[in-house]
Amino acid sequence: MKTKILALSLAACCFTAPVAAQEVTGNVALTTDYIFRGVTQTDGGPAISGGFDVEADGFYVGVWGSSVDFSDDTTMELDLYGGYAFSGAGFDWDIGVIYYAYPDSPSAGGDQNFVEFYGGLGREFGPVAWDAKLSYSPEFYGETGQAWYLETGVGMEVVEGISVDGRIGASRFDDIPAADYEDYQIGVSGTIFGNVGWDLRYHDLSDGGDDSIVLSFSQSFGG
């Protein structure tokens, strides 16, 4: 597919490691609702998504796409990203950049497209895994100015093969502080048929937006 060719081309530009040291993985998913930071991207409807990643010595690049429904003829989101993941000082770290694009957006000048820079860390405390991440966009979706998103969460395996997790996120907009809000989610996940992942998740918002329950199925391959 075109997305696979793009991911491999990006990897060829960014990596000098031997081919044998590179790892290519892919993923596909089907969900009853595509939720991004607590907000539906499909008008409450289902979405299909998929992508590819190439990793070598901690550096990675990838491409991911999903169907969307913004009620303005936009039907596709295409994300390109790259970064570096490593361990140090007892934590796992991840820094990178992601470009959110909407190729068939009817908006003049592509003002729906935006870039974010991110940094995250995580650590396991016995059976509990914790992580946190900060994302920053100099010009957020719709050319609404600088925006920040801080998120954190914990998760743990409750029985063999089944895990639970909870997350909270805070969106902040420098130019439109009245739009600031928090989102919350709690989920349970596992696998069926050996390698098909499932996830059942509840989402809610602090600003009176609609809450939702989302069921997703996914599968990874390669590596």
Side-chain angles (χ1 to χ4, degrees):
M1 294 176 63
K2 185 177 181 180
T3 51
K4 181 175 182 180
I5 295 172
L6 177 57
L8 294 175
S9 298
L10 289 170
C13 294
C14 300
F15 295 140
T16 57
V19 173
Q22 297 179 9
E23 181 176 85
V24 181
T25 57
N27 60 86
V28 293
L30 179 65
T31 183
T32 58
D33 192 358
Y34 170 20
I35 303 290
F36 178 72
R37 299 176 184 173
V39 180
T40 180
Q41 306 296 289
T42 49
D43 196 26
I48 186 169
S49 63
F52 290 90
D53 297 274
V54 181
E55 185 273 337
D57 299 326
F59 293 94
Y60 62 87
V61 293
V63 59
W64 181 85
S66 176
S67 57
V68 298
D69 181 0
F70 296 162
S71 299
D72 65 352
D73 296 329
T74 303
T75 65
M76 179 183 183
E77 174 184 331
L78 183 66
D79 303 341
L80 305 175
Y81 52 88
Y84 179 57
F86 60 98
S87 297
F91 291 88
D92 295 322
W93 304 83
D94 184 18
I95 55 175
V97 59
I98 180 169
Y99 179 66
Y100 296 86
Y102 303 90
D104 60 354
S105 167
S107 299
D111 59 10
Q112 287 181 314
N113 303 343
F114 66 100
V115 174
E116 277 191 340
F117 302 90
Y118 59 84
L121 74 164
R123 185 171 182 172
E124 292 185 0
F125 299 91
V128 178
W130 166 83
D131 72 273
K133 181 180 179 182
L134 177 64
S135 301
Y136 164 72
S137 175
E139 189 68 73
F140 195 60
Y141 178 87
E143 297 184 347
T144 50
Q146 296 185 90
W148 305 78
Y149 185 69
L150 177 63
E151 59 184 303
T152 187
V154 295
M156 65 179 297
E157 187 176 57
V158 290
V159 296
E160 186 176 357
I162 298 180
S163 300
V164 296
D165 70 274
R167 302 192 66 80
I168 181 172
S171 295
R172 297 293 182 264
F173 307 95
D174 286 2
D175 294 344
I176 44 174
D180 294 351
Y181 71 96
E182 291 75 46
D183 65 273
Y184 316 93
Q185 56 178 283
I186 185 169
V188 57
S189 58
T191 57
I192 54 176
F193 308 122
N195 61 355
V196 176
W198 60 269
D199 183 277
L200 182 63
R201 190 161 299 272
Y202 172 76
H203 296 266
D204 200 5
L205 296 170
S206 65
D207 64 355
D210 294 335
D211 60 351
S212 57
I213 297 177
V214 177
L215 177 61
S216 304
F217 295 95
S218 62
Q219 185 167 14
S220 299
F221 48 91

